[in-house]
Amino acid sequence: MSSVKIECAVKEKNKIGESPVWEEKEGTLLYVDVSGQKVCRWNPATNQIHTLKTDQYVGSVVPRRSGGYIIGVGTRFAAVDWKQQTITTIAHVDEGKSNNRFNDGKVDPAGRYFAGTMALEVRPAELERHQGSLFTLNPDHSVVKHFDKVDISNGLDWSLDHKIFYYIDSLSFKVDAFDYDKKTGNISNRRAVYHLEKDEGIPDGMCIDTEGKLWVACYSGGRVLHIDPTTGKRLRTVKLPVDRTTSCCFGGQDYSELYVTTASEGMDEDSMKRQPEAGGIFKITGLGAKGIPPYSFSG
């Protein structure tokens, strides 16, 4: 087993770094700063970050097959033209819930964009409960609502055989699985596959590796959990030097680097002194695991 190396690769202090996505063609890392209200692209070769400001909290960003990106911003799905630096609304959700916003999202194996909502937080992880829902933006731009009464709609991914959809509602402190129909995008038969332990923190973003195991970033836990969703067992814990780990994705030339986004919002001066890299993006190498390329929205 090669030794695990953890370094702060992107030193920019995000308020709430989230939704990392590796862009293979460009060799860049795409991500958002939720309350910093921006979509960011970091180029490891030049160490440059390019950003696009949004007018509301932005929950996630995904690549689009025809070019540019799709984002969940405020309570709307929108298209981003990166060259023109423009944002165009595609569809609205959660009508009448002005206190809601999109959170995490990801593209499914058929090119649909799954993303969920939550109420705006009073303080980190403190909010009006059961206000969120899980939605899909289809390639024809129609929207499907799967279910509501969600606290904090968070991490999501699909099994390698495309038969299972994994999902996290953070305040349930578990990772759930659904039967997933790739043809229709329907999900059913919800069950728990992993229950977090007391000290592990709040489950946040996650991704899957080439062996079908999940990597779950734990907010306030300062760690990423490597879990086997078929046995419900934790295989290992990777601890980071900051507490507020938010999400993760595999990237790099062969998808063997794990990128972990973090948050600095709500930390007092003392905590910031102890964790000066909070809000940065960490690169973890030597895990002996690899990820799979992200799917792109096909509409």
Side-chain angles (χ1 to χ4, degrees), residues 131-187:
Q131 296 305 302
S133 299
L134 179 70
F135 297 95
T136 294
L137 176 69
N138 288 315
D140 66 1
H141 294 183
S142 63
V143 175
V144 173
K145 178 174 169 176
H146 295 284
F147 50 80
D148 54 15
K149 305 245 185 311
V150 174
D151 287 325
I152 301 178
S153 191
N154 237 320
L156 51 180
D157 218 329
W158 289 263
S159 63
L160 303 179
D161 64 5
H162 304 161
K163 291 193 173 143
I164 300 170
F165 167 60
Y166 297 110
Y167 175 72
I168 291 169
D169 179 353
S170 289
L171 298 188
S172 72
F173 294 93
K174 58 186 174 39
V175 180
D176 286 339
F178 294 78
D179 295 340
Y180 164 72
D181 184 335
K182 183 180 169 184
K183 213 161 69 219
T184 62
N186 291 342
I187 55 174

Side-chain angles (χ1 to χ4, degrees), residues 105-250:
K106 201 171 270 183
V107 178
D108 82 348
R112 307 175 190 93
Y113 181 17
F114 277 63
T117 57
M118 58 184 278
L120 289 169
E121 293 166 300
V122 188
R123 275 176 294 281
E126 277 182 49
L127 71 169
E128 193 183 342
R129 298 189 64 166
H130 310 312
Q131 296 305 302
S133 299
L134 179 70
F135 297 95
T136 294
L137 176 69
N138 288 315
D140 66 1
H141 294 183
S142 63
V143 175
V144 173
K145 178 174 169 176
H146 295 284
F147 50 80
D148 54 15
K149 305 245 185 311
V150 174
D151 287 325
I152 301 178
S153 191
N154 237 320
L156 51 180
D157 218 329
W158 289 263
S159 63
L160 303 179
D161 64 5
H162 304 161
K163 291 193 173 143
I164 300 170
F165 167 60
Y166 297 110
Y167 175 72
I168 291 169
D169 179 353
S170 289
L171 298 188
S172 72
F173 294 93
K174 58 186 174 39
V175 180
D176 286 339
F178 294 78
D179 295 340
Y180 164 72
D181 184 335
K182 183 180 169 184
K183 213 161 69 219
T184 62
N186 291 342
I187 55 174
S188 58
N189 185 27
R190 187 175 190 166
R191 64 257 182 209
V193 292
Y194 183 77
H195 292 272
L196 274 85
E197 290 167 26
K198 269 267 189 298
D199 64 338
E200 288 182 335
I202 303 168
D204 203 323
M206 70 173 158
C207 64
I208 200 160
D209 64 23
T210 54
E211 294 181 349
K213 310 292 192 283
L214 299 172
W215 297 78
V216 181
C218 300
Y219 185 86
S220 79
R223 66 192 66 195
V224 177
L225 303 178
H226 183 203
I227 63 174
D228 184 341
T230 50
T231 62
K233 296 257 187 304
R234 181 185 68 233
L235 303 171
R236 69 203 283 196
T237 300
V238 182
K239 292 207 170 157
L240 284 92
V242 297
D243 287 339
R244 299 187 170 186
T245 38
T246 54
S247 191
C248 53
C249 80
F250 283 96

